[in-house]
Amino acid sequence: MAFPEPKPRAPELPQKRLKTLDCGQGAVRAVRFNVDGNYCLTCGSDKTLKLWNPLRGTLLRTYSGHGYEVLDAAGSFDNSHLCSGGGDKTVVLWDVATGQVVRKFRGHAGKVNTVQFNEEATVILSGSIDSSIRCWDCRSRKPEPVQTLDEARDGISSVKVSDHEILAGSVDGRVRRYDLRMGQLFSDYVGSPITCTCFSRDGQCTLMSSLDSTLRLLDKDTGELLGEYVGHKNQQYKLDCCLSERDTHVVSCSEDGKVFFWDLVEGALALALPVGSSVVQSLAYHPTEPCLLTAMGGSIQYWREETFEAEGGAG
């Protein structure tokens, strides 16, 4: 006799603030989870990158080597390396354990807004205000990028990578998807400057935010508009958006001090989470759990679902 499948739990939203960490690195430009969600990175206007255990609230290491503010960072799949980009136009590859700079890649003509590793962490992709995406070989000693994608007509605000495609948002109002298997470029025109793009967790959809205070969900293969999400404010800053860990909700920063959650299918606002009185600069969603990091001013906030109990009373 087969037992019936347990009914899946209704998705819970992270709305209980467990921790606020003063990062001590000027304004926090971006906050990012590592691959398994146990650690996070913060990018500072004071030129530093910091690695934290956000649940414990402990600083693990500070990475110094940028010449200007750090704007984005990412961790490799095996947690051995970090990459970062910033206002000094460079892309830096770091050794996590030693804190040392492994390589510094120069070639962009303007500040680097966004960085990502490929799945194997052999290539770093960087998007810049100079309208280009550059692909840097982490193992090569050559100073120039292995590839430059320069189709955008204005600055690159966001780059995301899957196993065979690159998703890029630009201030020119287009989201471009490079299918590396097929050798094809697909472009979707939104019109308003794109601030952030991402894939859904199941890889079927793309989400994009733009400066008309609207998020749009598109079918990745057909380009069909599946949903529009409004109510937040995004008219001047580059703000993050993402999907929740099970693709049930669309999540966005807002310039009015809140994080907005919408039901993905219905399009209805599910929660406007008050974070503080200024702009929510950045957010990161845990890869597998209802857990959120937000950045405002010089601090980050760690959020969990209402029913969450920290082990060992670390709340």
Side-chain angles (χ1 to χ4, degrees):
M1 168 186 162
F3 288 101
E5 286 284 319
K7 192 164 172 249
R9 286 180 302 117
E12 291 188 272
L13 297 178
Q15 50 189 311
K16 178 163 82 169
R17 189 191 305 225
L18 287 193
K19 278 269 188 308
T20 297
L21 304 179
D22 181 0
C23 297
Q25 54 185 157
V28 177
R29 297 300 184 207
V31 60
R32 303 286 179 248
F33 272 114
N34 76 321
V35 64
D36 55 21
N38 291 329
Y39 304 101
C40 73
L41 298 162
T42 54
C43 303
S45 66
D46 74 342
K47 315 177 196 174
T48 67
L49 179 64
K50 292 189 176 185
L51 178 68
W52 306 83
N53 179 322
L55 180 56
R56 289 222 173 97
T58 49
L59 174 64
L60 303 173
R61 196 172 279 282
T62 299
Y63 302 84
S64 302
H66 274 286
Y68 206 66
E69 60 182 0
V70 188
L71 297 174
D72 195 18
S76 64
F77 74 97
D78 59 359
N79 291 322
S80 66
H81 290 87
L82 308 173
C83 65
S84 59
D88 60 2
K89 311 179 194 175
T90 68
V91 176
V92 180
L93 175 66
W94 307 86
D95 184 295
V96 168
T98 66
Q100 297 300 305
V101 173
V102 179
R103 291 288 310 280
K104 204 176 257 199
F105 300 101
R106 294 182 175 88
H108 279 297
K111 68 179 184 178
V112 177
N113 283 325
T114 176
V115 291
Q116 287 274 287
F117 280 109
N118 68 338
E119 282 207 329
E120 300 82 28
T122 54
V123 174
I124 300 169
L125 294 97
S126 57
S128 165
I129 198 172
D130 70 6
S131 309
S132 76
I133 299 165
R134 294 177 194 231
C135 309
W136 311 92
D137 186 338
C138 298
R139 301 165 301 181
S140 166
R141 282 272 159 251
K142 291 181 180 159
E144 59 275 343
V146 289
Q147 191 171 6
T148 300
L149 306 172
D150 55 7
E151 285 75 17
R153 305 270 64 87
D154 208 331
I156 303 290
S157 57
S158 177
V159 171
K160 296 293 191 310
V161 186
S162 76
D163 62 345
H164 69 282
E165 47 198 350
I166 299 166
L167 188 67
S170 170
V171 180
D172 68 9
R174 286 188 181 274
V175 175
R176 294 172 177 85
R177 181 169 61 89
Y178 299 84
D179 188 316
L180 305 177
R181 279 185 196 151
M182 309 284 289
Q184 287 182 295
L185 168 61
F186 302 92
S187 178
D188 291 300
Y189 183 65
V190 172
S192 180
I194 307 295
T195 60
C196 185
T197 57
C198 61
F199 293 106
S200 58
R201 309 265 172 179
D202 66 7
Q204 303 294 307
C205 306
T206 54
L207 178 69
M208 56 207 65
S209 61
S210 48
L211 290 182
D212 55 358
S213 299
T214 306
L215 280 83
R216 293 170 177 87
L217 185 73
L218 270 56
D219 182 291
K220 190 181 78 179
D221 292 326
T222 67
E224 180 191 353
L225 181 64
L226 301 176
E228 287 193 324
Y229 309 89
V230 295
H232 66 302
K233 185 181 176 196
N234 185 10
Q235 295 169 331
Q236 60 184 119
Y237 292 97
K238 182 178 111 56
L239 301 185
D240 292 328
C241 66
C242 66
L243 290 146
S244 61
E245 85 282 7
R246 288 197 276 160
D247 279 343
T248 57
H249 289 80
V250 170
V251 190
S252 176
C253 294
S254 181
E255 290 165 12
D256 62 6
K258 301 185 185 81
V259 171
F260 283 71
F261 296 79
W262 295 266
D263 183 288
L264 178 131
V265 177
E266 304 289 330
L269 183 64
L271 173 67
L273 179 70
V275 178
S277 56
S278 57
V279 177
V280 184
Q281 281 285 354
S282 180
L283 60 76
Y285 215 100
H286 194 284
T288 56
E289 295 174 18
C291 173
L292 176 74
L293 289 169
T294 53
M296 179 179 286
S299 60
I300 60 169
Q301 301 77 33
Y302 182 78
W303 307 84
R304 291 293 311 224
E305 70 276 26
E306 288 286 3
T307 56
F308 177 78
E309 292 296 331
E311 291 173 29

